[in-house]
Amino acid sequence: YDAYLKAMLATGFRLPKENILLSIGSYKEKVEMMPSVRRIFESGFKLFATPGTADFIQEHGIDVTALEADKAREGYSLEEYLSSNKIDLYINLPSKNSFRRPATYVSNGYRSRRMAIDFSVPLITNVKCAKMFIEAMARFSMDKWEIESVDYITSHRTTVLPGLVNITALLPGGDGFEQATRAAICGGFTMLGISAHGADAFATTGDQSVSKVKSAGRGHAHTDYVVEIAATEANPAAAAALSADAPILYVSFDRSHPVHVDKYSAVSEHFKAWPQNSTVITNASGNDLATMLLLASLFSRQIHVTDVRTPEDLDLIDLSRARGLCATCDVSVYALFADRLPAIEGLQSNVQPLWSRLPAIDCFTVGTLPAQAAKAAGVKDVNPATLGYQLVLPLLYTAVSEGRLTSTDVVERFCNAPRRIFGLPEQPDTYVEIHRDRLVRIPPKSDDAKWFPDILAKPAHCAVHRVVMRGKTLLLDGMFYDQGLAPVGRDLCHVLRTMSSGPSGKQFAQPPAMAAGALSVKTAAEARPTVHARKSSLAMSPAVVPAIEVDTIDEVDAVSAGLDVQPLAVDETALVTRIERPLPESRLADVMARHGNQNPFYMKHVLSVRQFTREDLHLLFAVAQEMRTVVQRSGMLPLLTGRVMAAVFYEPSSRTSSSFQTAMLRLGGQVFTANSESSSVAKGETLEDTVRTFGSYADIITLRHPQPGSVQGAARFANIPVLNAGDGIGEHPSQAMLDTFTIREELGTVNGLTITLVGDLKNGRTVHSLARVLSQYKNVTLNYVSPASLAMPESIKRDVALRAPYVEQHEFTELTDAVLAKTDVLYVTRVQKERFDNEEDYERTRSAFVIDNEVMRKCKRNMIVMHPLPRVTEIAPEVDTDQRAAYFRQMQYGMFVRMALLALVLCRNF
């Protein structure tokens, strides 16, 4: 359903918002459409209909407004509603009138369809398409689907990054929490450390201010966040008491902000009171930084220095590390590109020295520089907490293209290192897709263009294409994907791990290198730690997450920059970490809900198709469709983890045995097999004892036996469900189920079809079961084509006639052109040699019917050929390439049906 709806949307088809108009011609299609009409009504849409359709719908208790085509009352004109675009979707199903009409005759239905096209009203004119679209739309309105990589093709170079972390985000003022976190999402950031200081005089210093910030974030944050608390000379004890709610202590020496620390003795008091394993951040520089590092050493504290702007401070931090102090630091991205910013004292001259000391930098941040630059440029009427996020990746990947950075450096400093240093939790199913070669277009009147005008003069590349957080797409091509989705950000204060300095930045900050460990790139003159040491670090640290390069060309970038590219013998163990794209969960619970949460298969033996009604089979088929979707997306669905199936086959089997075993494995279960040669049957053990034995080991038994009725007899002695996988010439219920599912999937319905069964109908258990299943559908015609000696048993024909007197049954001894011309499904079976008493009888009938290209030319263009397989000579190999040959697709459908059958038998609900 999601694929169908996405395909429709890709053509420009618009989803209806409120009003849907229905005009259904034939009575048959009115009946067929009623469940779908009820579905859209229950989904909240307002229904309109032409008079005849409206009467029929109202008879079924659904509220609908009738619109008239001719002489309409005021306000009830079909023409008026279509011409004024009051209708969002028009479903018009014309009646198939076989009477000849004058060439000049124009029906009301045609006029209304023509108007829908003229006024760009979405129009559907096919009943199957209408049902499919309504079901897809109803599911979409309940649970908006994810956009996946299979939904689009792009020519851009795509890189997948983990969600980025900004550890010192400016404290939003007033009601700006949602606005600030939306801006962060637009830049690819999914986690923020909310700084204790705002652009105004506000700071989190005590219980009330911390509570105020948390209240502002609760229900309004689009990113995950952790709140920091500001150190003052008066709050050492109060700050320590709040460490559970604000687990990061921010010691500010910024004299321009009202809330800061002047006395070093106050810092000592904070170090004494603050919990040992909780984080301390400072923005100290110069002499203040030297004193902070000394105090941290005396109190055996790990300390993080934020917003480092001078090479001297970096050298001092590096020296402290060499003496054994656990000190880490971060630099604002904009300090590395300050030569492109409006003049701020001292910044431009430090750009190159900072780049030269890149190995000493642990983390990147957005920092306070955007707010300071906006203030210096006189920019007004902006929220300082929103500035800078959307320009970070374009600037960094400009440096990547110039050979100054790699994707690995970006991921390490904006994701791995912040999480490691501050004990931030992992965000499952969270990632950012970027288009590295896509031009970033910043509107000239945007807030970022006001404080960073150089971005307009020198356009950058690297656009954020998609941001996914906990499996939900939040941002797609610059727009929030689901406008109705409530903010999903969480307060992380209670889930922080113990802080750790981890490897220093030197171990990760390398000369430009291939992301994900593919190449090592370094200049000949540089004597830095080798890439092999870095590879070992990656292998030892599971927290390190590489960027996934969908189209990596860093080698070309590096060569163009004049660097020496050397190959690396990659240790596979170093590359085990991956960013996994989330897969949508199965909708099995929805399927069960639509069927009243009643499971007629649960813990039942499946011995004959006569056990189950048409509604039961439709539940099975609906679950099989979901199984198909899950297998195609993720390969398995662990519903039966810990369950064991015994596959007991006393007759040779390839497809049925393999299909059941594969179905069990794809559902997370396990299988053991047995046959007449490997089991105690060879010693004379009875079938009943074998079933009792396997019932002690397994949760379900799949049994095939050559004697008709043997499986039913054995099931009486089993204390677990038994599935009949074929009992001689008796029945094969799962094959009949998958055959019916195949017909529905290939042709859309079983009702009204002509199905021709060809071959050994006497001994073919598959056709016995299939005929009984098909008798549950309306207006089905069954043609039995076989040699006289292999005709369909009278008991089967009598059973079909009793169950469904409206099903037509015809017998033929030849496959005539007239039969072929009317056939929708040509079901071919082999003549079973093992069922004959002598070789002569078999040879006389084995090639009675052969389907080849000559036969196929006499068939309909939209029919299908099926076969339970194995085939011998009854279908020529030349038919395999015909698109109507469905027998190999039929095998795959069988796995989905058997997955559904096993799940329904062993699971009461999903």
Side-chain angles (χ1 to χ4, degrees), residues 42-189:
E42 291 172 351
S43 297
F45 290 96
K46 187 173 182 180
L47 301 185
F48 297 83
T50 51
T53 303
D55 291 342
F56 185 84
I57 294 174
Q58 287 170 348
E59 288 174 1
H60 288 77
I62 298 175
D63 187 25
V64 62
T65 301
L67 299 180
E68 300 170 3
D70 296 320
K71 300 180 181 178
R73 294 169 294 158
E74 186 176 354
Y76 294 91
S77 169
L78 177 66
E79 181 177 347
E80 177 191 343
Y81 269 75
L82 287 173
S83 61
S84 58
N85 288 112
K86 294 180 181 179
I87 299 298
D88 301 319
L89 172 65
Y90 185 17
I91 297 176
N92 182 297
L93 307 179
S95 57
K96 299 175 176 62
N97 197 326
S98 58
F99 298 101
R100 184 180 296 276
R101 287 172 169 169
T104 56
Y105 178 80
V106 178
S107 67
N108 289 333
Y110 173 82
R111 282 202 298 268
S112 65
R113 291 192 296 274
R114 182 71 254 177
M115 285 187 64
I117 294 171
D118 290 341
F119 291 102
S120 300
V121 176
L123 174 67
I124 297 178
T125 59
N126 179 272
V127 64
K128 303 303 179 188
C129 291
K131 290 168 63 179
M132 177 80 76
F133 183 80
I134 288 170
E135 178 61 27
M137 186 176 60
R139 292 187 180 201
F140 183 80
S141 63
M142 290 188 298
D143 181 18
K144 195 163 187 178
W145 290 324
E146 278 302 304
I147 300 296
E148 303 171 56
S149 56
V150 298
D151 292 329
Y152 59 89
I153 297 175
T154 178
S155 59
H156 295 293
R157 291 163 45 204
T158 302
T159 299
V160 183
L161 308 175
L164 305 185
V165 181
N166 183 25
I167 55 178
T168 53
L170 197 62
L171 180 64
D175 299 326
F177 215 104
E178 183 170 358
Q179 188 180 2
T181 53
R182 284 178 71 94
I185 289 291
C186 292
F189 291 84

Side-chain angles (χ1 to χ4, degrees), residues 662-679:
T662 304
M664 190 67 179
L665 295 172
R666 287 193 183 275
L667 289 170
Q670 294 179 309
V671 180
F672 69 85
T673 61
N675 54 50
S676 58
E677 297 173 356
S678 63
S679 70

Side-chain angles (χ1 to χ4, degrees), residues 640 642-646 664 669-672 697-701 906:
L640 302 183
R643 301 296 188 97
V644 177
M645 182 182 77
M664 190 67 179
Q670 294 179 309
V671 180
F672 69 85
Y697 307 143
D699 299 286
I700 190 169
I701 296 174
L906 292 177

Side-chain angles (χ1 to χ4, degrees), residues 103 179 259 319 405 471 496 547 594 617 656 769 796:
Q179 188 180 2
V259 181
L319 179 61
L405 282 175
L496 263 64
R594 289 199 302 276
L617 295 177
T656 304
S769 294
I796 303 297

Side-chain angles (χ1 to χ4, degrees), residues 362-613:
D362 294 282
C363 308
F364 290 147
T365 61
V366 177
T368 60
L369 269 177
Q372 292 182 16
K375 186 176 181 179
V379 178
K380 298 180 180 179
D381 299 326
V382 298
N383 182 352
T386 66
L387 300 179
Y389 286 105
Q390 297 185 56
L391 303 182
V392 166
L393 287 176
L395 291 174
L396 290 177
Y397 274 92
T398 297
V400 169
S401 66
E402 294 170 352
R404 293 189 285 175
L405 282 175
T406 69
S407 286
T408 303
D409 293 327
V410 176
V411 172
E412 166 59 22
R413 289 177 172 83
F414 255 134
C415 179
N416 297 332
R419 294 180 192 276
R420 185 174 60 248
I421 293 169
F422 294 94
L424 300 172
E426 295 298 321
Q427 293 176 296
D429 298 334
T430 299
Y431 57 92
V432 180
E433 289 182 5
I434 60 173
H435 289 162
R436 292 176 52 179
D437 59 344
R438 188 168 164 186
L439 184 64
V440 178
R441 301 186 183 277
I442 305 295
K445 294 184 179 180
S446 68
D447 292 345
D448 282 322
K450 294 175 183 177
W451 70 270
F452 198 149
D454 189 62
I455 198 70
L456 300 176
K458 300 177 182 177
H461 291 78
C462 181
V464 175
H465 168 60
R466 184 157 67 120
V467 177
V468 177
M469 190 166 169
R470 284 187 282 275
K472 293 287 186 182
T473 297
L474 299 186
L475 188 83
L476 188 65
D477 278 334
M479 297 180 63
F480 274 73
Y481 175 56
D482 186 354
Q483 298 293 340
L485 183 67
V488 296
R490 300 174 182 173
D491 185 352
L492 303 177
C493 66
H494 298 295
V495 293
L496 263 64
R497 304 186 301 271
T498 301
M499 57 186 285
S500 168
S501 61
S504 71
K506 287 185 177 181
Q507 290 175 270
F508 293 93
Q510 302 296 329
M514 282 295 293
L519 288 175
S520 169
V521 186
K522 60 181 180 181
T523 59
E526 290 175 319
R528 296 178 180 173
T530 66
V531 72
H532 298 284
R534 181 181 66 171
K535 182 182 68 177
S536 300
S537 302
L538 283 166
M540 291 185 293
S541 176
V544 176
V545 183
I548 298 176
E549 296 290 344
V550 179
D551 180 10
T552 308
I553 57 170
D554 285 1
E555 181 179 358
V556 178
D557 295 336
V559 172
S560 66
L563 302 177
D564 179 27
V565 180
Q566 299 177 357
L568 169 67
V570 178
D571 181 0
E572 295 296 330
T573 60
L575 304 178
V576 296
T577 309
R578 291 290 184 267
I579 308 292
E580 295 291 344
R581 283 187 170 90
L583 296 167
E585 297 178 358
S586 70
R587 295 188 175 89
L588 294 176
D590 295 340
V591 172
M592 293 298 296
R594 289 199 302 276
H595 289 80
N597 286 317
Q598 299 296 316
N599 184 353
F601 295 88
Y602 180 63
M603 298 306 290
K604 297 282 185 65
H605 300 305
V606 180
L607 307 175
S608 170
V609 294
R610 286 176 287 187
Q611 294 174 242
F612 305 106
T613 66

